[in-house]
Amino acid sequence: MNFKKLTIASIALLSLAFTACSSSEEKHEHGKQTLTNVSYDPTRELYANYNEAFAKHWKEKTGKDVEITQSHGGSGKQALEVANGLEADVVTLALEFDVNAVRDAGLIEPGWVKEFPLNSSPYTSTIVFLVRKGNPKNLKDWGDLVKPGIGIITPNPKTSGGARWNYLAAWAWAENQYNGDQEKTKDFVKKLYANVLVLASGARGSTTTFIENGQGDVLLSWENEAFLALKDYPNDYEIVIPSISILAEPSVAIVDKVVDKRGTRELATEYLNYLYSDEGQHIAAKNHYRPSNKEILAQYKEFNPNVNLISIERFGGWDKAQNTHFSNGGIFDQIYEKK
């Protein structure tokens, strides 16, 4: 996988999403249904595989062909695009709050989180450190990241869902380390972001900065992104699992206003439901996401089952976490000094 090429490709796919929506009625007349999935940065490979499998499943089930268009970018930015008019039949975003932003724009009905199993989270992930081979800076845990001279690469929490998971994982470690002392925790996270070299808008942009551009000593990474890097560059990188990380729960939802307008509700519902099927779960695992099906998860030994994963409920849920940490004037704005 070439991260730089995929970043460029995502721009082309974004324009395709507009084209697909505008021509959907014409394609439907010719017997081919269309569906647009607006997703976040690191799911390109996952949905490239899944869409192919789903199209086959849909053909077998209904006799109809389906053409699926993907759009990828920072999760918060993607939510804003949909809220501002990018027609998505479904969104598969990095966290619940971003789907709620689309709901708040009047496009998704309240209660969406209970529409699919497990709070509409068909797969999970976590946050790990990706370091250069041999771990030359000996980075073992969050406390090592605030040492002088450590260059950190992580996306911008204002635009990236993965970046918000990164931030909260660091916060949870510090809160544990300092026995809940909020000022010491805040100071730790401030020191961590003082070592950040580049804040890209999305997770894939940060991966490109670290791998293609060679910047930084450590990438705060989605677990799946780190595994992809090891697969493509087995001699160049290694993964470090911190003592505390976070249970990242990407969320999926039907964009009700769009599917009702386009007549694609049945298709969109099956598209998201099939993520929970055995085939969908295996595809998630093969793309280094943790399946929500525990029996299937246990079949994949690459996933460390002993990681101490903190739930978003530790932060009072996403609405409270967003308001406290990432809203305008929130803690992130208070601690981060632009370089």
Side-chain angles (χ1 to χ4, degrees):
M1 172 188 58
N2 186 306
F3 291 105
K4 194 175 289 184
K5 287 181 180 177
L6 281 166
T7 303
I8 295 168
S10 69
I11 298 171
L13 284 170
L14 183 60
S15 63
L16 271 174
F18 287 100
T19 305
C21 289
S22 63
S23 60
S24 61
E25 293 177 5
E26 177 186 347
K27 289 181 179 180
H28 191 78
E29 289 174 4
H30 290 85
K32 179 179 285 188
Q33 296 176 287
T34 63
L35 179 140
T36 298
N37 174 10
V38 173
S39 196
Y40 65 104
D41 247 343
T43 61
R44 292 173 176 84
E45 296 78 15
L46 167 61
Y47 282 107
N49 294 154
Y50 177 74
N51 290 347
E52 183 178 345
F54 177 78
K56 182 179 178 183
H57 163 73
W58 186 248
K59 178 75 170 179
E60 291 172 350
K61 182 174 181 176
T62 67
K64 297 175 183 177
D65 293 314
V66 60
E67 181 177 313
I68 302 162
T69 300
Q70 285 296 133
S71 171
H72 297 275
S75 186
K77 184 174 182 293
Q78 291 292 82
L80 185 62
E81 294 278 4
V82 175
N84 288 338
L86 173 58
E87 283 199 332
D89 299 278
V90 300
V91 289
T92 56
L93 297 173
L95 44 89
E96 181 181 327
F97 182 84
D98 290 336
V99 180
N100 283 342
V102 182
R103 176 203 64 191
D104 293 345
L107 300 174
I108 294 176
E109 295 173 1
W112 66 267
V113 75
K114 298 300 183 184
E115 190 166 353
F116 296 95
L118 301 170
N119 292 325
S120 293
S121 182
Y123 42 78
T124 66
S125 190
T126 189
I127 301 305
V128 299
F129 303 165
L130 187 68
V131 299
R132 304 194 186 279
K133 195 71 174 182
N135 194 4
K137 296 295 179 74
N138 196 31
L139 305 175
K140 301 293 188 182
D141 210 346
W142 292 101
D144 298 322
L145 303 190
V146 299
K147 293 177 180 177
I150 301 301
I152 300 170
I153 304 297
T154 183
N156 189 338
K158 293 289 193 176
T159 54
S160 165
R164 278 169 275 176
W165 290 120
N166 292 348
Y167 171 105
L168 292 176
W171 188 278
W173 179 89
E175 201 169 51
N176 187 70
Q177 186 76 9
Y178 299 116
N179 298 313
D181 187 313
Q182 294 300 292
E183 285 306 311
K184 289 182 178 179
T185 299
K186 183 177 178 180
D187 184 62
F188 170 82
V189 177
K190 181 176 181 176
K191 289 177 180 176
L192 188 150
Y193 277 89
N195 278 348
V196 172
L197 302 179
V198 180
L199 282 182
S201 64
R204 185 55 59 86
S206 285
T207 306
T208 299
T209 297
F210 187 70
I211 290 178
E212 300 285 349
N213 300 341
Q215 297 186 52
D217 302 300
V218 57
L219 172 68
L220 305 187
S221 175
W222 286 99
E223 185 177 48
N224 70 290
E225 283 282 272
F227 277 123
L228 286 174
L230 290 193
K231 180 181 176 183
D232 286 352
Y233 305 94
N235 298 317
D236 297 332
Y237 303 99
E238 58 189 70
I239 292 172
V240 173
I241 299 173
S243 62
I244 290 178
S245 194
I246 199 156
L247 177 64
E249 297 175 290
S251 297
V252 304
I254 293 170
V255 185
D256 296 289
K257 193 168 183 179
V258 172
V259 298
D260 287 343
K261 182 179 80 169
R262 298 188 64 236
T264 54
R265 181 173 289 277
E266 181 185 0
L267 171 61
T269 301
E270 184 68 10
Y271 181 79
L272 296 184
N273 263 328
Y274 199 64
L275 286 166
Y276 294 88
S277 71
D278 285 358
E279 182 176 29
Q281 293 286 286
H282 281 293
I283 290 171
K286 289 172 182 175
N287 283 277
H288 313 295
Y289 285 88
R290 295 179 176 229
S292 58
N293 183 315
K294 301 301 183 187
E295 292 181 1
I296 293 177
L297 172 64
Q299 297 174 31
Y300 292 84
K301 303 306 180 186
E302 71 179 38
F303 299 117
N304 185 335
N306 300 316
V307 185
N308 185 6
L309 299 181
I310 303 300
S311 166
I312 189 62
E313 298 309 316
R314 165 92 165 258
F315 297 89
W318 262 113
D319 286 342
K320 184 176 181 181
Q322 179 74 23
N323 185 59
T324 301
H325 294 276
F326 309 118
S327 62
N328 291 336
I331 293 176
F332 178 75
D333 283 352
Q334 296 168 28
I335 66 170
Y336 182 66
E337 297 177 5
K338 293 183 180 179
K339 294 179 172 60

